[in-house]
Amino acid sequence: MADPSSYRPKPGQIPDSPGVYRFRDEHRRVIYVGKAKSLRQRLANYFQDLAGLHPRTRTMVTTAASVEWTVVSTEVEALQLEYSWIKEYDPRFNVKYRDDKSYPYLAVTMNEEFPRVQVMRGHKKKGVRYFGPYVHAWAIRDTVDLLLRVFPVRTCSAGVFKNASRTGRPCLLGYIGKCSAPCVGRVSAEEHRELAEDFCDFMTGRTGTYLRRLERQMVEAAEEMEYERAARLRDDIEALRKAMEKNAVVLADATDADLIAVAEDELEAAVQIFHVRGGRVRGQRGWVTDKVEEVTTGALVEHALQQLYGEESGDAVPKEVLVPALPEPVEPAQEWLTGRRGSQVSLRVPQRGDKRALMETVERNAQQALVLHKTKRASDLTTRSRALEEIADALELDSAPLRIECYDISHLQGDDVVASMVVFEDGLQRKGEYRRFQIKGFEGQDDVRSMHEVITRRFRRYLVEKERTGEWTDGTADEQAEGVTVGDGTADGSDGDVRGDVGGVVGGGTNGAHPLTEEDGRPKRFAYPPQLVVVDGGQPQVAAAKRALDELGIDDIAVCGLAKRLEEVWLPDQDDPVVLPRTSEGLYLLQRVRDEAHRFAITYQRTKRAKRFRSGPLDDVPGLGETRKQALIKHFGSVKKLRSATIDEICEVPGIGRKTAETIAVTLAQAAPAAPAVNTATGEIMEEDHETRAPETTADAPGDPVTAGVPDERRGQEP
């Protein structure tokens, strides 16, 4: 625990101008980012008597070991830079709204030749129109099912669409009239796109036009005695009205607005957002956050605006944003929203009328969300604290292990030996810091030796990072040499591993340094040490892990193992295990950590095994990447024809030089061709090439997160 006075800047050193500041801990990891109209006045608030600080602010300043700041020109630039750094560094003490689910959206893929209507979650894609978010996916599907009668837009996947095009037969929706069947040419691409655009117009609230048009067509059909067509149009009108009833009118003037309400207490706050389009509630979502310091409602609203619109632009930012309290000052936030939308945005507090009544409804939802969260979270916080204390008591640790790393070895009868490292902080998963290893020091099955190698490699990297002062590298070359793969085992990403430039809003820096050239403060590959290392196994694995740490001279990290047979906890140099009660929260937490490490390891191992089974002769060519593999197969048609080609013929492939062509020829010549295919009925040797023929059978297909010996730089992707 650091004394804030030990790193307090000298009087007069802090500029009296707008800027953004960062607190770092002893490991140079950024733990808090804030902005201020006056850096001098704002930072002075942190260096007062600790007894007068908010409990979590007190924890933050005693965890920090230094503070830095960057001067900017305006408060809008400060807002932009603060948002960029929060996304980049993911500071543990910042206000971060926790969303316990990924809200579904109704998406129309206007970026495709034949747009598709579907339910989507996660990050938004360019060229796709989104409506929502919705609380439940079934609500979207019910609405789509009604609208497809009037707007028969494609909803099938790419595989179903291609199969229908190949066979010339549409799917069931095409037969029952809920798809215009562009796959078999019933409508052209232009006609289908018009249907998709009409569908989007209806979803944006322009409903009256279509209802009036359908009613007119129904009357005309009845007058011409086309009663079947008139009945079908009548049913279409009823379907549209039912879809509209699902989103009742809340604002009579067809307003496009977002309403944000906040419910808070001393420690936490809940935020609810209603998305109103065309006077109807089109979506709803909610977040909960911890209050790190004595933050005002206006400041909570400002953080909510950053999270809500930080990645949005254009019409995704509404013309009007209604909030319970305005940020102080309000001009920078309003100017920032206007810049995101590209036109004027009104940020205000509703005072009377329908908008005030709707805001009260949103506030009631926020209050209920906070109460529900408190009910769930209170026991969870107590349970996690008790679990960490029980582990500390059982293992005789000086303090509760706030960071736990667990390691597991996975293989299939000695093949594809891999290891996993999972991280739990404060009893919760830290998926962004999960790591995967390939065992390359030896071949065969030896879990003890594998554990020794993994622990050695992980903490050797820690020592290297610890010795570096003032310079952090990305470690790619080291990891490639060691066979380390980076990943987090989660499908959400998202998550905050942003690596973008600050973008021209920097007006100064700490002691004149540019923020892109100083230490970046992100948690690097292996730079942050645990208080406890858990290995999946018994006494031999624990001894191997302890021996690896001793060889590196590390004596301040505790080690234990959790054996599956009786769930006993093994400690180094002890003949008898520590047996925790079956009802122990500490044992339950260790089991969760161990099971997560096992899941992460076996997922990676299965992926490597599947890749090995799909591998082909071109995978053995050194330095030959996926793009050039596909170019070779496309040019020659198969590996068999490539093997018989001359070096000059190989050089004709775009991107293949003579040296690479020689390497390809030598490698394929040394590789024994696979056995010929035989017709088991006649005994005839098949002439058809049996080797790799198309890119889809290549092992390293685009998007495969596992490439032997190459680190996976795409955090947030599970193998």
Side-chain angles (χ1 to χ4, degrees):
M1 181 177 295
D3 182 2
S5 62
S6 63
Y7 62 88
R8 179 174 185 171
K10 297 179 180 179
Q13 185 178 0
I14 307 175
D16 187 17
S17 57
V20 183
Y21 54 91
R22 294 174 290 182
F23 282 90
R24 297 177 183 265
D25 63 9
E26 59 179 341
H27 301 286
R28 301 294 296 161
R29 185 164 67 169
V30 174
I31 61 174
Y32 186 74
V33 173
K35 65 174 179 61
K37 182 178 180 180
S38 171
L39 286 170
R40 180 178 303 170
Q41 296 178 13
R42 187 68 185 91
L43 290 177
N45 295 333
Y46 292 100
F47 298 102
Q48 54 180 288
D49 185 9
L50 292 178
L53 295 176
H54 185 280
R56 290 182 178 168
T57 306
R58 183 163 58 247
T59 303
M60 188 273 290
V61 296
T62 54
T63 302
S66 63
V67 62
E68 303 166 352
W69 57 87
T70 297
V71 176
V72 297
S73 302
T74 66
E75 294 178 57
V76 177
E77 292 182 355
L79 185 67
Q80 293 173 333
L81 183 55
E82 180 194 33
Y83 173 75
S84 299
W85 279 354
I86 289 175
K87 294 289 289 182
E88 184 175 1
Y89 298 128
D90 190 24
R92 58 179 294 194
F93 286 102
N94 267 93
V95 171
K96 289 177 289 186
Y97 292 103
R98 299 186 300 271
D99 190 352
D100 59 355
K101 53 186 170 291
S102 175
Y103 285 92
Y105 285 82
L106 174 60
V108 185
T109 58
M110 301 301 291
N111 56 345
E112 298 182 5
E113 181 182 6
F114 297 97
R116 175 190 177 192
V117 175
Q118 60 181 318
V119 178
M120 278 191 176
R121 298 176 186 264
H123 296 292
K124 294 185 178 180
K125 300 178 181 178
K126 187 176 181 180
V128 179
R129 295 196 63 178
Y130 292 89
F131 305 94
Y134 294 82
V135 179
H136 303 290
W138 55 262
I140 307 178
R141 296 189 179 97
D142 286 350
T143 301
V144 171
D145 187 62
L146 292 170
L147 294 181
L148 288 180
R149 289 185 53 89
V150 186
F151 309 107
V153 185
R154 166 198 164 207
T155 58
C156 60
S157 65
V160 173
F161 188 88
K162 290 179 180 178
N163 185 61
S165 301
R166 180 177 56 81
T167 60
R169 292 180 299 177
C171 63
L172 177 62
L173 292 179
Y175 281 111
I176 65 176
K178 288 192 175 183
C179 179
S180 56
C183 53
V184 294
R186 287 185 185 175
V187 296
S188 64
E190 292 76 15
E191 293 171 333
H192 184 265
R193 181 167 291 275
E194 288 180 4
L195 280 174
E197 290 174 350
D198 290 343
F199 181 94
C200 294
D201 288 342
F202 185 88
M203 289 302 301
T204 56
R206 292 188 282 271
T207 58
T209 302
Y210 297 103
L211 287 175
R212 288 191 295 270
R213 186 175 67 185
L214 291 177
E215 289 173 349
R216 185 172 60 253
Q217 291 175 355
M218 179 182 66
V219 172
E220 292 174 354
E223 291 175 349
E224 296 173 2
M225 292 186 291
E226 296 180 5
Y227 299 117
E228 291 184 359
R229 178 167 170 262
R232 186 168 60 252
L233 290 170
R234 179 202 59 198
D235 294 340
D236 290 348
I237 294 171
E238 184 64 22
L240 288 181
R241 285 177 175 164
K242 285 184 178 180
M244 292 168 62
E245 289 172 0
K246 289 179 176 293
N247 300 107
V249 174
V250 292
L251 297 176
D253 56 353
T255 301
D256 289 345
D258 284 350
L259 289 88
I260 302 174
V262 178
E264 58 183 310
D265 59 15
E266 294 80 4
L267 298 178
E268 292 180 306
V271 174
Q272 283 286 310
I273 302 100
F274 276 24
H275 302 273
V276 180
R277 299 294 182 269
R280 301 174 184 272
V281 177
R282 297 295 186 182
Q284 174 189 359
R285 72 175 86 178
W287 298 316
V288 180
T289 184
D290 294 325
K291 295 171 68 175
V292 181
E293 54 185 333
E294 294 182 6
V295 60
T296 64
T297 303
L300 288 172
V301 168
E302 185 175 77
H303 287 297
L305 294 174
Q306 287 180 322
Q307 176 132 344
L308 191 59
Y309 304 115
E311 304 296 330
E312 304 291 354
S313 61
D315 292 338
V317 182
K319 297 179 181 178
E320 192 172 7
V321 180
L322 305 178
V323 296
L326 294 175
E328 182 59 38
V330 67
E331 290 78 12
Q334 189 161 336
E335 186 177 340
W336 178 72
L337 289 174
T338 299
R340 304 299 304 178
R341 177 178 171 82
S343 60
Q344 185 64 34
V345 174
S346 173
L347 178 64
R348 64 187 185 87
V349 179
Q351 301 295 333
R352 63 184 66 86
D354 293 340
K355 294 178 181 178
R356 179 60 210 170
L358 182 58
M359 175 62 78
E360 292 174 355
T361 301
V362 184
E363 289 173 350
R364 286 196 296 272
N365 278 267
Q367 290 286 355
Q368 293 174 1
L370 182 61
V371 171
L372 181 61
H373 172 76
K374 287 284 185 184
T375 304
K376 294 180 178 179
R377 193 70 176 172
S379 60
D380 184 43
L381 285 169
T382 305
T383 301
R384 288 192 287 116
S385 299
R386 184 166 65 248
L388 294 174
E389 291 173 359
E390 289 180 1
I391 292 174
D393 292 340
L395 304 184
E396 298 181 355
L397 304 179
D398 295 334
S399 60
L402 298 182
R403 179 183 172 101
I404 301 174
E405 293 181 2
C406 185
Y407 298 82
D408 186 27
I409 308 297
S410 180
H411 57 81
L412 180 64
Q413 297 180 348
D415 293 330
D416 300 315
V417 185
V418 299
S420 68
M421 174 187 114
V422 302
V423 179
F424 276 58
E425 285 190 353
D426 298 334
L428 298 175
Q429 296 173 339
R430 187 77 172 181
K431 292 189 175 182
E433 299 190 18
Y434 285 14
R435 299 293 181 264
R436 304 175 299 197
F437 299 81
Q438 300 179 52
I439 304 301
K440 292 190 172 182
F442 63 96
E443 296 182 356
Q445 178 179 350
D446 191 337
D447 288 359
V448 175
R449 190 175 174 185
S450 299
M451 185 63 70
H452 181 273
E453 177 182 330
V454 170
I455 297 295
T456 299
R457 284 161 51 185
R458 184 265 183 266
F459 286 98
R460 182 185 296 134
R461 291 295 308 279
Y462 160 62
L463 293 178
V464 170
E465 297 291 353
K466 187 177 179 181
E467 290 173 359
R468 292 175 180 171
T469 56
E471 179 182 359
W472 295 76
T473 62
D474 60 8
T476 303
D478 293 339
E479 285 185 359
Q480 185 169 353
E482 293 185 359
V484 181
T485 306
V486 182
D488 75 346
T490 178
D492 149 348
S494 178
D495 109 279
D497 190 25
V498 181
R499 294 291 188 269
D501 290 346
V502 174
V505 300
V506 178
T510 304
N511 298 329
H514 193 282
L516 299 182
T517 60
E518 61 189 19
E519 297 175 2
D520 60 12
R522 290 187 294 266
K524 285 298 182 179
R525 299 277 193 260
F526 299 101
Y528 206 62
Q531 284 80 48
L532 175 64
V533 168
V534 181
V535 299
D536 183 9
Q539 200 171 21
Q541 286 85 355
V542 174
K546 180 61 176 175
R547 187 171 69 255
L549 292 176
D550 291 341
E551 291 171 355
L552 295 173
I554 299 175
D555 57 3
D556 57 350
I557 298 177
V559 180
C560 75
L562 186 62
K564 290 187 180 70
R565 188 171 64 91
L566 298 175
E567 302 291 12
E568 64 265 22
V569 180
W570 289 91
L571 297 176
D573 304 324
Q574 291 192 11
D575 296 331
D576 298 319
V578 176
V579 180
L580 296 175
R582 289 290 178 178
T583 57
S584 167
E585 293 294 341
L587 177 61
Y588 177 63
L589 177 57
L590 290 176
Q591 289 172 331
R592 284 178 53 214
V593 174
R594 187 269 316 278
D595 293 344
E596 177 68 1
H598 179 69
R599 179 201 67 80
F600 195 45
I602 200 168
T603 301
Y604 182 35
Q605 194 272 334
R606 287 171 177 169
T607 305
K608 282 183 60 65
R609 184 171 76 248
K611 175 189 171 184
R612 180 165 54 87
F613 288 161
R614 297 193 306 266
S615 63
L618 289 178
D619 295 326
D620 297 328
V621 180
L624 192 63
E626 181 57 35
T627 301
R628 293 196 290 180
K629 287 180 190 176
Q630 293 186 8
L632 288 167
I633 295 299
K634 182 178 180 180
H635 183 84
F636 290 100
S638 68
V639 175
K640 180 178 180 180
K641 294 179 180 178
L642 173 60
R643 182 180 279 116
S644 61
T646 64
I647 292 178
D648 292 335
E649 291 173 339
I650 297 176
C651 289
E652 296 176 0
V653 179
I656 303 296
R658 187 165 190 85
K659 185 176 181 180
T660 303
E662 293 173 354
T663 304
I664 294 171
V666 171
T667 303
L668 294 181
Q670 293 175 348
V678 178
N679 187 324
T680 56
T682 63
E684 178 185 6
I685 296 178
M686 306 297 291
E687 292 297 331
E688 182 181 359
D689 184 14
H690 51 269
E691 298 187 70
T692 302
R693 299 186 58 86
E696 56 263 31
T697 61
T698 306
D700 293 331
D704 189 349
V706 181
T707 304
V710 179
D712 183 358
E713 296 297 338
R714 294 177 299 166
R715 294 174 180 245
Q717 300 293 326
E718 183 174 51

